[in-house]
Every structure is written in C-alpha cells, then in structure tokens.
Amino acid sequence: MRALLHFILRGQVSCGLLLAAASAIPLLVWLAAAGGSLLLLRRGLAASGPALLLALLPTLAWWQVADEPRMALILLGSFALAQVLRRYSSWVWVLLCSLLTGAASALCLKLAFSEPLAAQNAQLQPFLPQALGTLYQQMSEAEQLRLSELMPQLLLGVLATLLQIASLIGLMLARYWQALLFNPGGFAREFHALRLPKSVAFSLFALLLLMPALSATGAVLVPLCSLPLLFAGLALVHGKLAGKAGGKFGLVGLYLSLLLFMQLAYPLLVVLALADSLFDFRGLKTRKGHSASNPDI
C-alpha cells in the first residue's frame, strides 16, 4: 500500500495513467477520487494538475458518449474539496463548500437526467398516499399538490447528495492515506474534533425547514444541507467511541443502522450534531476536569 501511495505522489504521467485507468471503471472511481485528492493535498494544484486532468478524461468521455456525468462529478467534487482542505485546513469549510459542489452537481444531473427523473417521479407519485397514510389524507388538495411539486426536486437533491457523499469519502480516504504516510493518527484527530459552530449548524437546520416553503426548487437543497450535519454527527460518535472498549463494535452497529434504518439513524445524527454545536459533548469531560482541579473558578 505504501509503495502505491508513494507512486501516486510522484505526480508523473504514469501516475495520471493509473488514476485514469481507475476512473474509467465505474466501480473504481472512488480510487481515482482518493488518489487524485491525495496528490492534490500533498503537492498542490499546479504540480498535480496534469495527473488530475488525465484522471478526469475517462469520466468526461463517459459524460460525452453515454450521457453519464456522475463519475466526473464525483472526481470534480473530491478534487475541489481537496483544494479547500489544503487551503483552509478545516473540515467545516470542506462541508460548507460541499453545498456549492452539490448544487452544481444537482444542476448537471437535472440537465442530464431530466427524463429519467420525471419518469421516476411519475412512478413514485401513486405511492405517496400509501407511504404517508393518514397524514396524506389529512392534507388539503393544495398541500397534496405542493407535495407533488416538491418530490422531483427532493429526488434530484438526494441524488446530488449521494454524489457528494462519494466525493467526501474519497477525500477522507486521501486524508487518511496522507496521515498514514506523514502524520500517523492525524486524520483520526481531525475527524474526531469536527464540530460545527452554532451559527453554522442552526443556519443549516433553518434552511432544511424553510427552503421547501420558499420555493419548490429550493427543496433540492434540503438533503444537501443535511449532509454537513450528518458528518458532524458521525464525527461526534467516532470521537466519543475512540479508544473505548467495544468502540469498534459500536461503530459497526452505527453504520449498519445507517444502512438498515436510515430513516431513523440519519435524523438522529443530525439532532446529535445540533446538540453538540450547543454543548460540545467531547469538550464536556475536559471542562469538568478543569473545574475540578480549579474549584475557585
């Protein structure tokens, strides 16, 4: 593994060709995203530019020939967020900038997949009364119509959010690799310390609530705005379980819950992130210890 990572960090044409070979295969696009992000984090945009361009070429070909933009959007998202992380050394900035890359992805997806998304929405509409049950029956006709208008935008937002999750995972893997080579344990410390400021967390939560009411198009941003809160919630759980007996089993249970019970686990992590922005649960023990050792304070 280390030999492969050092090979990528050379940034030569051979490295670019390796990344291009990975990006040409849909199932390996994550490897190209992580490898290119590692190169950018370590060497900067100017030095890594040619290799990154080579990595992008197969995905751009997929976009042009097969009208399939998702692989290119994952790479572009990872590389853009890697540049943000290199520039600001802040995961909060990375998560906030993921809103911009996510909105750009949503626009590209809307242009590329307008007909499939419309067909998918048409298939889902008849299931709304069954999915919502009595809640749907209690809605007025105007509210039911409004919900029908929001559905295609929410679908588009969910798809764009999934791409941003893939981009962020690629970047996190790159940061883990960078720490493995040059700063062992550094990525874990960074991620465990991730906490959204109160103003940021509650601004995102307000957008979650208000955007669908302001415009149907604004519903695209609802899943995207939840993404920074999701990752902040994950960072909180990782930080609290780090180094504890059974911590790894707890994390396995967390991600299994996300896969099997996402409709419950996802909102719970969002609520945890909001609460942590207020109370700083990871710093609570430190503050208690400080107060105990300084009783006059």
Side-chain angles (χ1 to χ4, degrees), residues 51-112:
L52 298 183
L53 182 58
L54 283 173
L56 279 168
L57 286 179
T59 65
L60 296 176
W62 274 101
W63 194 340
Q64 179 66 29
V65 175
D67 202 21
E68 173 51 82
R70 284 174 290 187
M71 292 183 292
L73 293 175
I74 289 172
L75 286 191
L76 288 170
S78 282
F79 297 163
L81 296 177
Q83 180 63 20
V84 172
L85 182 59
R86 176 180 168 83
R87 173 67 177 81
Y88 295 104
S89 299
S90 167
W91 284 100
V92 173
W93 272 106
V94 168
L95 292 175
L96 290 178
C97 289
S98 73
L99 299 180
L100 299 178
T101 57
S105 295
L107 179 59
C108 294
L109 292 170
K110 184 176 182 179
L111 296 174

Side-chain angles (χ1 to χ4, degrees), residues 230-250:
L230 170 67
F231 275 86
L234 289 172
L236 170 63
V237 176
H238 274 262
K240 295 297 286 184
L241 293 179
K244 293 187 176 180
K248 292 183 178 180
F249 292 103

Side-chain angles (χ1 to χ4, degrees), residues 188 191-194 232-248 251 272 276 279-286 288:
F191 187 59
H192 295 168
L194 172 58
L234 289 172
L236 170 63
V237 176
H238 274 262
K240 295 297 286 184
L241 293 179
K244 293 187 176 180
K248 292 183 178 180
L251 293 177
L272 284 175
D276 186 43
F279 302 112
D280 187 11
F281 295 128
R282 281 157 293 187
L284 190 60
K285 184 177 180 180
T286 302
K288 285 183 177 179

